[in-house]
Amino acid sequence: MWRRVRYGRFVVHFPSLRTVASLALTLLLAGCSIKKYAINSVGDALAEGNSVYETDEDIELVGEALPFGLKLVESLLQESPNHRGLLLTATRGFVLYSYAYVDYPAQVAADEDIGKARKLRTRAHKLYMRALGYGLRGMETSYPGLGTRLTADPAAAVSVIQNSKKKQQDLPFLYWTAAALGSAISVSKNDAAMLARIPEVEAMIDRALELDETWDNGSLHEFQVTLAAAKPETPDEATVRQHFERALALSEGRRGGLYVALAQAVSIPYQKRSEFTALLNKALAIDPDENEEYRLVNLLAQRQARRLLSQTDELFFEEEGSADSSVDSP
């Protein structure tokens, strides 16, 4: 209700206390809605395309900045816990950070300080598992209970992910959630419980391939090559090479990590020394600045390639007596 107050020949209408209270409550509620809308908008933006981290040319700068960005995302998730964009960003971000700045240093430390390497692997495992938690939360916003079913029956659990309207949203979650779990397994190769979860990783990637094997320019096929290197048993060479060739065609040879993955998955276990060096040199020959969207991942792949090349004599028992399979660029 409004009160009429006369000032000379003017009449001014003032709201009653009840009206003021009602307006205040409305504005307060609107403020909450605006805040959540802003958070959700940020989450949507973060989930679209590559982040400024992934296109940066300075590996160390990214490593120093990522922890702040990740904690910011987690603080936003406290306000909007089921936002898929924020959950995907958290999953992807923790996998990237752990791989590049915790897992890799653990590999380097293993050559000189086993104790330090063990501590770093433990931390990497925890960060990968945190990423896994966010990834599963993201998928469960569309498929409640999927995480529990994934452990019990992986293939059946992911079979529900088939709605064509949602599949483009679900593919990034399948990829990054599988990457989180697969990476956690790779730093825990002596943990039988973790090794027993390999079928979950395979189910997620297989389902993603069924939905769209061309997704992200062959990233799913590249993942299969990387996964083969992470498994404890010697991989089937023909199958790995099929995934490599398909990923190579779809990516047009723009990602150095694919060459590094094949070198680790096939060249080392099958003792193909000349192929090993050829693949790693192909990774090093890529100009990271030619493809901005792959800049950081190429820089990281080249860092790994240089490290592996420095270990060639340790990884191969003897010089090859004959030339092995060649790998040509497209």
Side-chain angles (χ1 to χ4, degrees):
M1 298 295 292
W2 292 70
R3 290 190 298 115
R4 297 175 62 194
V5 179
R6 182 177 293 279
Y7 288 92
R9 61 191 180 121
F10 299 102
V11 176
V12 182
H13 294 261
F14 286 96
S16 66
L17 289 176
R18 179 181 300 177
T19 304
V20 170
S22 178
L23 285 171
L25 180 60
T26 299
L27 289 172
L28 179 62
L29 292 175
C32 293
S33 299
I34 291 171
K35 180 179 179 182
K36 189 165 186 178
Y37 174 80
I39 291 172
N40 290 342
S41 296
V42 170
D44 291 338
L46 289 172
E48 293 179 2
N50 291 335
S51 71
V52 293
Y53 298 109
E54 292 163 296
T55 58
D56 203 278
E57 64 180 2
D58 191 321
I59 294 178
E60 298 306 319
L61 177 63
V62 172
E64 293 170 359
L66 258 177
F68 172 79
L70 292 172
K71 293 309 295 182
L72 174 61
V73 170
E74 288 191 315
S75 67
L76 294 175
L77 277 169
Q78 288 185 335
E79 300 292 334
S80 187
N82 295 317
H83 189 277
R84 283 170 64 87
L86 289 171
L87 289 167
L88 178 59
T89 300
T91 307
R92 184 172 62 187
F94 276 105
V95 169
L96 174 62
Y97 178 75
S98 185
Y99 169 76
Y101 303 102
V102 186
D103 192 344
Y104 178 80
Q107 297 175 38
V108 174
D111 297 333
E112 298 180 356
D113 190 336
I114 297 300
K116 180 180 179 181
R118 186 179 298 112
K119 289 180 180 178
L120 286 169
R121 282 197 298 268
T122 298
R123 184 179 178 224
H125 174 83
K126 290 180 179 179
L127 290 171
Y128 285 136
M129 293 303 288
R130 187 185 300 198
L132 174 64
Y134 287 128
L136 291 174
R137 270 175 58 183
M139 289 198 290
E140 287 185 340
T141 60
S142 295
Y143 309 99
L146 185 141
T148 301
R149 295 197 302 274
L150 187 65
T151 303
D153 190 341
V158 298
S159 67
V160 302
I161 305 176
Q162 54 190 349
N163 188 325
S164 61
K165 292 181 180 180
K166 292 181 178 179
K167 73 176 183 180
Q168 291 305 318
Q169 299 174 354
D170 293 331
L171 279 170
F173 272 109
L174 281 169
Y175 175 86
W176 286 106
T177 305
L181 180 54
S183 299
I185 294 170
S186 72
V187 295
S188 310
K189 292 183 178 179
N190 295 324
D191 187 334
M194 289 301 301
L195 290 173
R197 302 192 67 176
I198 289 178
E200 297 175 49
V201 181
E202 294 174 328
M204 285 187 277
I205 290 301
D206 288 346
R207 188 56 183 157
L209 283 165
E210 290 172 359
L211 292 172
D212 184 1
E213 59 96 18
T214 68
W215 180 78
D216 194 29
N217 301 316
S219 288
L220 298 171
H221 288 285
E222 183 176 338
F223 187 102
Q224 291 284 43
V225 181
T226 303
L227 180 61
K231 292 180 180 179
E233 70 272 12
T234 301
D236 178 69
E237 183 178 0
T239 300
V240 175
R241 289 190 184 278
Q242 287 175 1
H243 285 296
F244 171 82
E245 293 297 338
R246 185 59 177 149
L248 189 65
L250 291 170
S251 67
E252 299 178 339
R254 293 178 294 170
R255 289 199 294 258
L258 179 60
Y259 297 111
V260 176
L262 186 66
Q264 293 180 289
V266 171
S267 303
I268 295 175
Y270 285 93
Q271 290 292 284
K272 297 175 180 290
R273 181 175 181 139
S274 61
E275 179 190 68
F276 175 82
T277 56
L279 286 166
L280 297 180
N281 283 321
K282 285 181 182 294
L284 292 171
I286 292 175
D287 182 356
D289 294 328
E290 283 188 3
N291 298 282
E292 184 180 85
E293 69 271 31
Y294 300 132
R295 182 179 286 148
L296 182 61
V297 294
N298 277 331
L299 289 170
L300 294 173
Q302 290 174 344
R303 182 178 69 174
Q304 179 75 323
R306 284 189 288 270
R307 177 175 175 273
L308 288 170
L309 279 172
S310 71
Q311 297 178 321
T312 302
D313 290 337
E314 301 168 26
L315 295 170
F316 294 88
F317 302 116
E318 58 185 19
E319 294 288 343
E320 295 168 320
S322 59
D324 47 61
S325 303
S326 60
V327 180
D328 298 322
S329 297

